Amino acid sequence: MTECVDNPAERLHSLLLEFCRIGKELGPNHSNWDVWARTLSYDDAEVAVGDAEFFRRFAEVKDLPGKVRQAISLTVLDVLHREYLLAPLVGVDAGLQASAQPGHNVAQVWQHFSDSGDATRSAAIYSLQGCAGELRRAHVEAGLTEVEGRDLTALINDLTEAVIASELDEVDKQFLLARLNEMLAAVQQARLRGRYQVEAAVDAGRGALLRRPNLIRRVIDAGLFDAVGTFFTKATALLTLVGQTEELTQETVRAIERGISG
């Protein structure tokens, strides 16, 4: 079957659990927008209630139930089982619709899919856990693990420091730093947007470099080529799909390195 690298059910399940946890900490009368802002913040990449990034991330959350339905419709062939899995998502839809109202508190969102924010008694959250399991069994990948995200972040930060310290001119530095920042943003938002966006950002960065042979020559002249080649090789190894790491042979690694060198 065609490989997917996206499990929207796992992402939505995780986000609703976090929304319930933070909501219970702050109380049922707290602003639902403030709880969503905290839920959708990652490490040092916090979002403020009502700003453009908040609305962008919340819009992606609202799209997740539809993505769950689409993924399940493609992987669960039994109609009755599919309907059993997806029926409770109506409550999630209603909760997200209620969340769109800035005046609604957490309790007014919870009432649609979770009794007083108790995730363990929520049919919708339990159903999403079942959907995530079905998609995993169909070889649909979850988002990055915490370890993978941490390792990729370290790789990106190391290369960023090397670029800043290099003798490249400012235009070349800014080009490389912009690509690295795009990769870092994708890693930070993997919990919301999925693993595919991280792969796409790394592939786009590598492609952008390969399409600029003059820049590659300047990277070599600045003594940065080994660091760049090592970064893309290690990033590719980290992003290799679960259970397929053994297929990234030394021959494949050498092919990747040849591609970087042009």
Side-chain angles (χ1 to χ4, degrees), residues 155-168:
L155 283 174
I156 294 167
N157 288 339
D158 287 347
L159 185 55
T160 297
E161 291 176 4
V163 169
I164 293 172
S166 74
E167 297 181 357
L168 288 169

Side-chain angles (χ1 to χ4, degrees), residues 10-167:
E10 195 146 38
R11 300 210 307 277
L12 184 54
H13 177 261
S14 174
L15 287 166
L16 291 181
L17 286 179
E18 188 72 356
F19 180 83
C20 288
R21 183 189 69 78
I22 295 173
K24 288 177 77 71
E25 286 181 0
L26 298 177
N29 295 320
H30 203 80
S31 163
N32 94 86
W33 275 21
D34 186 46
V35 175
W36 274 118
R38 298 181 188 216
T39 301
L40 298 175
S41 294
Y42 322 109
D43 300 328
D44 56 349
E46 295 184 1
V47 293
V49 173
D51 69 8
E53 183 64 12
F54 170 81
F55 287 120
R56 188 188 67 75
R57 294 187 187 186
F58 183 65
E60 291 184 341
V61 176
K62 290 185 70 176
D63 286 342
L64 284 174
K67 292 180 178 179
V68 173
R69 290 185 175 95
Q70 182 180 36
I72 289 296
S73 69
L74 293 172
T75 56
V76 178
L77 302 181
D78 184 275
V79 175
L80 292 178
H81 185 47
R82 185 166 67 233
E83 291 177 351
Y84 169 79
L85 286 171
L86 296 178
L89 288 190
V90 173
V92 177
D93 290 327
L96 292 176
Q97 189 65 35
S99 293
Q101 302 299 318
H104 283 180
N105 60 30
V106 175
Q108 289 172 296
V109 176
W110 279 344
Q111 67 179 339
H112 296 287
F113 67 85
S114 174
D115 181 18
S116 301
D118 187 353
T120 62
R121 298 171 58 189
S122 167
I125 291 176
Y126 179 77
S127 175
L128 282 169
Q129 187 175 14
C131 289
E134 291 288 348
L135 296 180
R136 281 196 300 273
R137 283 189 288 275
H139 306 295
V140 180
E141 292 293 319
L144 291 181
T145 66
E146 183 178 349
V147 172
E148 289 170 334
R150 187 167 58 243
D151 289 347
L152 278 169
T153 298
L155 283 174
I156 294 167
N157 288 339
D158 287 347
L159 185 55
T160 297
E161 291 176 4
V163 169
I164 293 172
S166 74
E167 297 181 357

Side-chain angles (χ1 to χ4, degrees), residues 155-216:
L155 283 174
I156 294 167
N157 288 339
D158 287 347
L159 185 55
T160 297
E161 291 176 4
V163 169
I164 293 172
S166 74
E167 297 181 357
L168 288 169
D169 62 35
E170 285 304 312
V171 173
D172 289 342
K173 282 185 180 181
Q174 289 306 313
F175 177 83
L176 293 174
L177 292 175
R179 303 292 78 74
L180 288 166
N181 190 55
E182 289 167 359
M183 296 178 211
L184 184 60
V187 172
Q188 290 173 337
Q189 297 184 38
R191 186 162 61 94
L192 174 61
R193 304 184 69 195
R195 184 189 191 102
Y196 173 75
Q197 297 298 328
V198 180
E199 294 184 357
V202 172
D203 291 345
R206 179 176 177 274
L209 187 58
L210 289 174
R211 289 189 293 273
R212 291 166 174 81
N214 289 340
L215 174 57
I216 293 176

